[in-house]
Amino acid sequence: MARTAQDRIARLLLEKTALSEEQLAMAREFRRKKGGDLGRILIRQKAIQEADLLQVLAEDFQLDLVTLLPQTSDISFVSKLPISFFKNNLLVPVVLEGEPCIALNDPGQFQVVDDLRRQLDMAGCRIVLSPEREIIRTINSAYDMASISAEQVIQDIDEEDADLLFSKIEEVENLLDDTSDSPVIRLVNLMLSQAVRAGVSDIHIEPQQSSLKIRQRLDGVLYDMFTPPKHVQPALISRIKLMAKMNIAEKRLPQDGRIEIKVGNKDIDIRASTLPTASGERVVLRLLDKSTIGMSLTDLGMTPERLKLFSNIISSPNGIVLVTGPTGSGKTTTLYAALSAINRVDINIITVEDPIEYRIPGIGQVQVNPKIDLNFASGLRSIVRQDPDVILIGEIRDLETAEIAIQSALTGHLVFSTLHTNDAPSTITRLRDMGLESFLIASSIKAILAQRLVRVICRTCQEAYTPNPAELARIGLTPDQLPDGLAYRGKGCDDCLNTGYRGRTGIHEFLVMDAEMKKIVLQTSDAAQLKHHACSQGMKTLLQDGAVKVINGQTTVEEVYRVAQS
């Protein structure tokens, strides 16, 4: 934008927003020294919001300010210009109410817009303004949708490709920017980008005797992804091992590695694991979206009463809070949300994890490393000498770790950890089986949260129906407990990949160690007796909490029974 135009916009910002003369002077001084667009400088300095700038620009240039919905672009342009052109200039061709338009973020780019109109034969098309984030998302979506299909890529892979040399493969910051000609590289990039777009948590590459199967885990359930021919297997697995910095020559031993990629505007951390089998190396990729670390306690699916109680418990000055459940039940996410909720400058929080799944600003995180004898127990001993207020132990796996955790809790620390148990009361039994004394368990544990993840009904295709009473009885419900006797389910649509579900939420069983429960623990470690007493004090079981979510129309009867059945 020309200097005179920038000065005119600056005057308008002073008139129409909370921008002060002092903030404007600072931005102008920064522009004088380092250059740049005045509006962008003001946004970076947090003097104004992008919405303020766009509103002023829209009025000054007499342009419409629009919100870009997903898939509002005609993706035919992707074959004519590279993705970098649109990202660098922050503009994208779109279709709004059937009319071709160009959405941009800076209306001062007259020359670039004119060039684009000529190249795409869009002379005279309307220009609109949109936020930067929405333009980037639309660009990424268009190039992702236009990616060549997996079937086409697989057809391009000849048997000779199994002998490809991978030594010259370059790493790419964003998979959507990769224009590699290698079919194997394109197949891996396509596989990963599709998985990220769908919200997949795991990819399984499973060699069979005469075939190769690739499956994906979406919302906790495995689905077929595609089935490449058997001769693709060596090249595909070698490519993944190279990306994960594994030894591609070692095929007899299991290996672990890590891959960091960017797909669109998402930073993805991938844990790769290989396992030799009779049919070849089996690979599992665990995809971790770093943006989900922003999840708060309110996102976990707890009822307001349970959320309030849990928030009070995690604010205790000492004691142990345990989160239990099988692998993949969201234990780590819950603990990270708890740590984020209590993370303040006056609290020293240190964790020992295996592995560190997400980096949390302001928290000291220690990675377990068995190769140098750094396990949970030894890491925990070192942590207590670092003057912590709060300690997170990734998992209590043995008596030694459990004893140190209890001693830490009894000496004034708040300790978070996880265990693999079926419900909250059986956690007490498990700790007794490890060898802990009942009085130590009763005096140190504050609460136990057992949880599972249930799939949420897709809001796009949900429908009401009258459930069978026998079906409801499996989760302890009767038809008169449902609003108008109706339950909900998803029919299946493009938004949910025809599964009927989109996303997951938690169901919880929260056992608080009150004075009465401590007395029971001192008398017995029988899980049935502990559960009976806890329920008599108001604890809802996993099945009961799931039933509440069925009544509220969040999930289905089948899903709750699948996840929470005893």
Side-chain angles (χ1 to χ4, degrees), residues 51-67:
D52 298 329
L53 176 62
L54 290 177
Q55 192 64 50
V56 167
L57 290 172
E59 293 177 13
D60 187 60
F61 285 87
Q62 296 184 340
L63 298 174
D64 291 328
L65 180 58
V66 302
T67 298

mmCIF file with all atom_site columns, all heavy atoms in Angstrom, residues 51-67:
data_model
loop_
_atom_site.group_PDB
_atom_site.id
_atom_site.type_symbol
_atom_site.label_atom_id
_atom_site.label_alt_id
_atom_site.label_comp_id
_atom_site.label_asym_id
_atom_site.label_entity_id
_atom_site.label_seq_id
_atom_site.pdbx_PDB_ins_code
_atom_site.Cartn_x
_atom_site.Cartn_y
_atom_site.Cartn_z
_atom_site.occupancy
_atom_site.B_iso_or_equiv
_atom_site.pdbx_formal_charge
_atom_site.auth_seq_id
_atom_site.auth_comp_id
_atom_site.auth_asym_id
_atom_site.auth_atom_id
_atom_site.pdbx_PDB_model_num
ATOM 1   N N   . ALA A 1 51 ? -9.507  -7.275  12.532 1.00 0.00 ? 51 ALA A N   1
ATOM 2   C CA  . ALA A 1 51 ? -10.884 -6.938  12.170 1.00 0.00 ? 51 ALA A CA  1
ATOM 3   C C   . ALA A 1 51 ? -11.072 -5.422  12.065 1.00 0.00 ? 51 ALA A C   1
ATOM 4   O O   . ALA A 1 51 ? -11.807 -4.932  11.189 1.00 0.00 ? 51 ALA A O   1
ATOM 5   C CB  . ALA A 1 51 ? -11.856 -7.521  13.192 1.00 0.00 ? 51 ALA A CB  1
ATOM 6   N N   . ASP A 1 52 ? -10.404 -4.661  12.956 1.00 0.00 ? 52 ASP A N   1
ATOM 7   C CA  . ASP A 1 52 ? -10.487 -3.198  12.894 1.00 0.00 ? 52 ASP A CA  1
ATOM 8   C C   . ASP A 1 52 ? -9.905  -2.675  11.589 1.00 0.00 ? 52 ASP A C   1
ATOM 9   O O   . ASP A 1 52 ? -10.500 -1.822  10.919 1.00 0.00 ? 52 ASP A O   1
ATOM 10  C CB  . ASP A 1 52 ? -9.722  -2.576  14.070 1.00 0.00 ? 52 ASP A CB  1
ATOM 11  C CG  . ASP A 1 52 ? -10.305 -2.968  15.414 1.00 0.00 ? 52 ASP A CG  1
ATOM 12  O OD1 . ASP A 1 52 ? -11.531 -3.186  15.477 1.00 0.00 ? 52 ASP A OD1 1
ATOM 13  O OD2 . ASP A 1 52 ? -9.539  -3.065  16.385 1.00 0.00 ? 52 ASP A OD2 1
ATOM 14  N N   . LEU A 1 53 ? -8.729  -3.196  11.221 1.00 0.00 ? 53 LEU A N   1
ATOM 15  C CA  . LEU A 1 53 ? -8.067  -2.747  9.998  1.00 0.00 ? 53 LEU A CA  1
ATOM 16  C C   . LEU A 1 53 ? -8.909  -3.092  8.770  1.00 0.00 ? 53 LEU A C   1
ATOM 17  O O   . LEU A 1 53 ? -9.097  -2.255  7.873  1.00 0.00 ? 53 LEU A O   1
ATOM 18  C CB  . LEU A 1 53 ? -6.679  -3.378  9.890  1.00 0.00 ? 53 LEU A CB  1
ATOM 19  C CG  . LEU A 1 53 ? -5.902  -3.078  8.603  1.00 0.00 ? 53 LEU A CG  1
ATOM 20  C CD1 . LEU A 1 53 ? -5.628  -1.586  8.472  1.00 0.00 ? 53 LEU A CD1 1
ATOM 21  C CD2 . LEU A 1 53 ? -4.591  -3.867  8.559  1.00 0.00 ? 53 LEU A CD2 1
ATOM 22  N N   . LEU A 1 54 ? -9.429  -4.314  8.708  1.00 0.00 ? 54 LEU A N   1
ATOM 23  C CA  . LEU A 1 54 ? -10.208 -4.731  7.553  1.00 0.00 ? 54 LEU A CA  1
ATOM 24  C C   . LEU A 1 54 ? -11.488 -3.905  7.403  1.00 0.00 ? 54 LEU A C   1
ATOM 25  O O   . LEU A 1 54 ? -11.910 -3.584  6.287  1.00 0.00 ? 54 LEU A O   1
ATOM 26  C CB  . LEU A 1 54 ? -10.549 -6.220  7.649  1.00 0.00 ? 54 LEU A CB  1
ATOM 27  C CG  . LEU A 1 54 ? -9.387  -7.201  7.466  1.00 0.00 ? 54 LEU A CG  1
ATOM 28  C CD1 . LEU A 1 54 ? -9.861  -8.628  7.649  1.00 0.00 ? 54 LEU A CD1 1
ATOM 29  C CD2 . LEU A 1 54 ? -8.740  -7.043  6.102  1.00 0.00 ? 54 LEU A CD2 1
ATOM 30  N N   . GLN A 1 55 ? -12.116 -3.556  8.534  1.00 0.00 ? 55 GLN A N   1
ATOM 31  C CA  . GLN A 1 55 ? -13.332 -2.754  8.472  1.00 0.00 ? 55 GLN A CA  1
ATOM 32  C C   . GLN A 1 55 ? -13.049 -1.374  7.879  1.00 0.00 ? 55 GLN A C   1
ATOM 33  O O   . GLN A 1 55 ? -13.792 -0.873  7.026  1.00 0.00 ? 55 GLN A O   1
ATOM 34  C CB  . GLN A 1 55 ? -13.928 -2.606  9.881  1.00 0.00 ? 55 GLN A CB  1
ATOM 35  C CG  . GLN A 1 55 ? -15.342 -2.037  9.893  1.00 0.00 ? 55 GLN A CG  1
ATOM 36  C CD  . GLN A 1 55 ? -16.344 -2.941  9.201  1.00 0.00 ? 55 GLN A CD  1
ATOM 37  O OE1 . GLN A 1 55 ? -16.415 -4.131  9.484  1.00 0.00 ? 55 GLN A OE1 1
ATOM 38  N NE2 . GLN A 1 55 ? -17.115 -2.390  8.274  1.00 0.00 ? 55 GLN A NE2 1
ATOM 39  N N   . VAL A 1 56 ? -11.933 -0.768  8.308  1.00 0.00 ? 56 VAL A N   1
ATOM 40  C CA  . VAL A 1 56 ? -11.543 0.546   7.790  1.00 0.00 ? 56 VAL A CA  1
ATOM 41  C C   . VAL A 1 56 ? -11.179 0.445   6.312  1.00 0.00 ? 56 VAL A C   1
ATOM 42  O O   . VAL A 1 56 ? -11.573 1.296   5.488  1.00 0.00 ? 56 VAL A O   1
ATOM 43  C CB  . VAL A 1 56 ? -10.361 1.116   8.613  1.00 0.00 ? 56 VAL A CB  1
ATOM 44  C CG1 . VAL A 1 56 ? -9.736  2.311   7.907  1.00 0.00 ? 56 VAL A CG1 1
ATOM 45  C CG2 . VAL A 1 56 ? -10.835 1.497   10.007 1.00 0.00 ? 56 VAL A CG2 1
ATOM 46  N N   . LEU A 1 57 ? -10.413 -0.600  5.937  1.00 0.00 ? 57 LEU A N   1
ATOM 47  C CA  . LEU A 1 57 ? -10.023 -0.776  4.534  1.00 0.00 ? 57 LEU A CA  1
ATOM 48  C C   . LEU A 1 57 ? -11.254 -0.987  3.646  1.00 0.00 ? 57 LEU A C   1
ATOM 49  O O   . LEU A 1 57 ? -11.331 -0.460  2.529  1.00 0.00 ? 57 LEU A O   1
ATOM 50  C CB  . LEU A 1 57 ? -9.072  -1.960  4.395  1.00 0.00 ? 57 LEU A CB  1
ATOM 51  C CG  . LEU A 1 57 ? -7.656  -1.794  4.971  1.00 0.00 ? 57 LEU A CG  1
ATOM 52  C CD1 . LEU A 1 57 ? -6.902  -3.123  4.921  1.00 0.00 ? 57 LEU A CD1 1
ATOM 53  C CD2 . LEU A 1 57 ? -6.892  -0.732  4.204  1.00 0.00 ? 57 LEU A CD2 1
ATOM 54  N N   . ALA A 1 58 ? -12.210 -1.781  4.140  1.00 0.00 ? 58 ALA A N   1
ATOM 55  C CA  . ALA A 1 58 ? -13.411 -2.056  3.358  1.00 0.00 ? 58 ALA A CA  1
ATOM 56  C C   . ALA A 1 58 ? -14.187 -0.767  3.079  1.00 0.00 ? 58 ALA A C   1
ATOM 57  O O   . ALA A 1 58 ? -14.666 -0.536  1.961  1.00 0.00 ? 58 ALA A O   1
ATOM 58  C CB  . ALA A 1 58 ? -14.293 -3.063  4.093  1.00 0.00 ? 58 ALA A CB  1
ATOM 59  N N   . GLU A 1 59 ? -14.302 0.092   4.093  1.00 0.00 ? 59 GLU A N   1
ATOM 60  C CA  . GLU A 1 59 ? -15.015 1.357   3.910  1.00 0.00 ? 59 GLU A CA  1
ATOM 61  C C   . GLU A 1 59 ? -14.244 2.294   2.990  1.00 0.00 ? 59 GLU A C   1
ATOM 62  O O   . GLU A 1 59 ? -14.831 2.950   2.115  1.00 0.00 ? 59 GLU A O   1
ATOM 63  C CB  . GLU A 1 59 ? -15.242 2.023   5.277  1.00 0.00 ? 59 GLU A CB  1
ATOM 64  C CG  . GLU A 1 59 ? -16.200 1.264   6.182  1.00 0.00 ? 59 GLU A CG  1
ATOM 65  C CD  . GLU A 1 59 ? -16.353 1.913   7.537  1.00 0.00 ? 59 GLU A CD  1
ATOM 66  O OE1 . GLU A 1 59 ? -15.916 3.079   7.698  1.00 0.00 ? 59 GLU A OE1 1
ATOM 67  O OE2 . GLU A 1 59 ? -16.905 1.271   8.448  1.00 0.00 ? 59 GLU A OE2 1
ATOM 68  N N   . ASP A 1 60 ? -12.926 2.360   3.169  1.00 0.00 ? 60 ASP A N   1
ATOM 69  C CA  . ASP A 1 60 ? -12.122 3.303   2.388  1.00 0.00 ? 60 ASP A CA  1
ATOM 70  C C   . ASP A 1 60 ? -12.056 2.904   0.914  1.00 0.00 ? 60 ASP A C   1
ATOM 71  O O   . ASP A 1 60 ? -12.139 3.758   0.027  1.00 0.00 ? 60 ASP A O   1
ATOM 72  C CB  . ASP A 1 60 ? -10.716 3.387   2.976  1.00 0.00 ? 60 ASP A CB  1
ATOM 73  C CG  . ASP A 1 60 ? -9.883  4.476   2.317  1.00 0.00 ? 60 ASP A CG  1
ATOM 74  O OD1 . ASP A 1 60 ? -10.279 5.656   2.370  1.00 0.00 ? 60 ASP A OD1 1
ATOM 75  O OD2 . ASP A 1 60 ? -8.839  4.139   1.716  1.00 0.00 ? 60 ASP A OD2 1
ATOM 76  N N   . PHE A 1 61 ? -11.901 1.608   0.635  1.00 0.00 ? 61 PHE A N   1
ATOM 77  C CA  . PHE A 1 61 ? -11.781 1.140   -0.747 1.00 0.00 ? 61 PHE A CA  1
ATOM 78  C C   . PHE A 1 61 ? -13.137 0.714   -1.330 1.00 0.00 ? 61 PHE A C   1
ATOM 79  O O   . PHE A 1 61 ? -13.194 0.256   -2.464 1.00 0.00 ? 61 PHE A O   1
ATOM 80  C CB  . PHE A 1 61 ? -10.805 -0.042  -0.819 1.00 0.00 ? 61 PHE A CB  1
ATOM 81  C CG  . PHE A 1 61 ? -9.359  0.357   -0.701 1.00 0.00 ? 61 PHE A CG  1
ATOM 82  C CD1 . PHE A 1 61 ? -8.755  0.488   0.546  1.00 0.00 ? 61 PHE A CD1 1
ATOM 83  C CD2 . PHE A 1 61 ? -8.595  0.616   -1.834 1.00 0.00 ? 61 PHE A CD2 1
ATOM 84  C CE1 . PHE A 1 61 ? -7.420  0.847   0.664  1.00 0.00 ? 61 PHE A CE1 1
ATOM 85  C CE2 . PHE A 1 61 ? -7.257  0.976   -1.722 1.00 0.00 ? 61 PHE A CE2 1
ATOM 86  C CZ  . PHE A 1 61 ? -6.665  1.101   -0.480 1.00 0.00 ? 61 PHE A CZ  1
ATOM 87  N N   . GLN A 1 62 ? -14.202 0.846   -0.507 1.00 0.00 ? 62 GLN A N   1
ATOM 88  C CA  . GLN A 1 62 ? -15.553 0.488   -0.939 1.00 0.00 ? 62 GLN A CA  1
ATOM 89  C C   . GLN A 1 62 ? -15.612 -0.972  -1.435 1.00 0.00 ? 62 GLN A C   1
ATOM 90  O O   . GLN A 1 62 ? -16.068 -1.274  -2.534 1.00 0.00 ? 62 GLN A O   1
ATOM 91  C CB  . GLN A 1 62 ? -16.045 1.454   -2.028 1.00 0.00 ? 62 GLN A CB  1
ATOM 92  C CG  . GLN A 1 62 ? -16.184 2.874   -1.534 1.00 0.00 ? 62 GLN A CG  1
ATOM 93  C CD  . GLN A 1 62 ? -16.761 3.810   -2.578 1.00 0.00 ? 62 GLN A CD  1
ATOM 94  O OE1 . GLN A 1 62 ? -16.730 3.528   -3.771 1.00 0.00 ? 62 GLN A OE1 1
ATOM 95  N NE2 . GLN A 1 62 ? -17.311 4.932   -2.139 1.00 0.00 ? 62 GLN A NE2 1
ATOM 96  N N   . LEU A 1 63 ? -15.104 -1.859  -0.580 1.00 0.00 ? 63 LEU A N   1
ATOM 97  C CA  . LEU A 1 63 ? -15.108 -3.287  -0.865 1.00 0.00 ? 63 LEU A CA  1
ATOM 98  C C   . LEU A 1 63 ? -15.951 -4.009  0.177  1.00 0.00 ? 63 LEU A C   1
ATOM 99  O O   . LEU A 1 63 ? -16.089 -3.553  1.319  1.00 0.00 ? 63 LEU A O   1
ATOM 100 C CB  . LEU A 1 63 ? -13.682 -3.858  -0.849 1.00 0.00 ? 63 LEU A CB  1
ATOM 101 C CG  . LEU A 1 63 ? -12.702 -3.313  -1.883 1.00 0.00 ? 63 LEU A CG  1
ATOM 102 C CD1 . LEU A 1 63 ? -11.306 -3.872  -1.620 1.00 0.00 ? 63 LEU A CD1 1
ATOM 103 C CD2 . LEU A 1 63 ? -13.156 -3.663  -3.293 1.00 0.00 ? 63 LEU A CD2 1
ATOM 104 N N   . ASP A 1 64 ? -16.500 -5.165  -0.200 1.00 0.00 ? 64 ASP A N   1
ATOM 105 C CA  . ASP A 1 64 ? -17.252 -5.984  0.751  1.00 0.00 ? 64 ASP A CA  1
ATOM 106 C C   . ASP A 1 64 ? -16.285 -6.790  1.611  1.00 0.00 ? 64 ASP A C   1
ATOM 107 O O   . ASP A 1 64 ? -15.305 -7.345  1.107  1.00 0.00 ? 64 ASP A O   1
ATOM 108 C CB  . ASP A 1 64 ? -18.181 -6.948  0.008  1.00 0.00 ? 64 ASP A CB  1
ATOM 109 C CG  . ASP A 1 64 ? -19.312 -6.215  -0.685 1.00 0.00 ? 64 ASP A CG  1
ATOM 110 O OD1 . ASP A 1 64 ? -19.754 -5.175  -0.163 1.00 0.00 ? 64 ASP A OD1 1
ATOM 111 O OD2 . ASP A 1 64 ? -19.741 -6.671  -1.769 1.00 0.00 ? 64 ASP A OD2 1
ATOM 112 N N   . LEU A 1 65 ? -16.579 -6.845  2.902  1.00 0.00 ? 65 LEU A N   1
ATOM 113 C CA  . LEU A 1 65 ? -15.802 -7.673  3.831  1.00 0.00 ? 65 LEU A CA  1
ATOM 114 C C   . LEU A 1 65 ? -16.560 -8.971  4.034  1.00 0.00 ? 65 LEU A C   1
ATOM 115 O O   . LEU A 1 65 ? -17.698 -8.962  4.531  1.00 0.00 ? 65 LEU A O   1
ATOM 116 C CB  . LEU A 1 65 ? -15.626 -6.940  5.159  1.00 0.00 ? 65 LEU A CB  1
ATOM 117 C CG  . LEU A 1 65 ? -14.836 -7.650  6.261  1.00 0.00 ? 65 LEU A CG  1
ATOM 118 C CD1 . LEU A 1 65 ? -13.438 -8.003  5.791  1.00 0.00 ? 65 LEU A CD1 1
ATOM 119 C CD2 . LEU A 1 65 ? -14.775 -6.778  7.509  1.00 0.00 ? 65 LEU A CD2 1
ATOM 120 N N   . VAL A 1 66 ? -15.980 -10.100 3.613  1.00 0.00 ? 66 VAL A N   1
ATOM 121 C CA  . VAL A 1 66 ? -16.704 -11.371 3.622  1.00 0.00 ? 66 VAL A CA  1
ATOM 122 C C   . VAL A 1 66 ? -15.974 -12.415 4.455  1.00 0.00 ? 66 VAL A C   1
ATOM 123 O O   . VAL A 1 66 ? -14.754 -12.352 4.632  1.00 0.00 ? 66 VAL A O   1
ATOM 124 C CB  . VAL A 1 66 ? -16.911 -11.919 2.189  1.00 0.00 ? 66 VAL A CB  1
ATOM 125 C CG1 . VAL A 1 66 ? -17.656 -10.919 1.336  1.00 0.00 ? 66 VAL A CG1 1
ATOM 126 C CG2 . VAL A 1 66 ? -15.583 -12.289 1.549  1.00 0.00 ? 66 VAL A CG2 1
ATOM 127 N N   . THR A 1 67 ? -16.759 -13.362 4.944  1.00 0.00 ? 67 THR A N   1
ATOM 128 C CA  . THR A 1 67 ? -16.223 -14.528 5.637  1.00 0.00 ? 67 THR A CA  1
ATOM 129 C C   . THR A 1 67 ? -16.188 -15.691 4.653  1.00 0.00 ? 67 THR A C   1
ATOM 130 O O   . THR A 1 67 ? -17.202 -16.008 4.029  1.00 0.00 ? 67 THR A O   1
ATOM 131 C CB  . THR A 1 67 ? -17.107 -14.897 6.843  1.00 0.00 ? 67 THR A CB  1
ATOM 132 O OG1 . THR A 1 67 ? -17.117 -13.815 7.767  1.00 0.00 ? 67 THR A OG1 1
ATOM 133 C CG2 . THR A 1 67 ? -16.576 -16.152 7.533  1.00 0.00 ? 67 THR A CG2 1
#
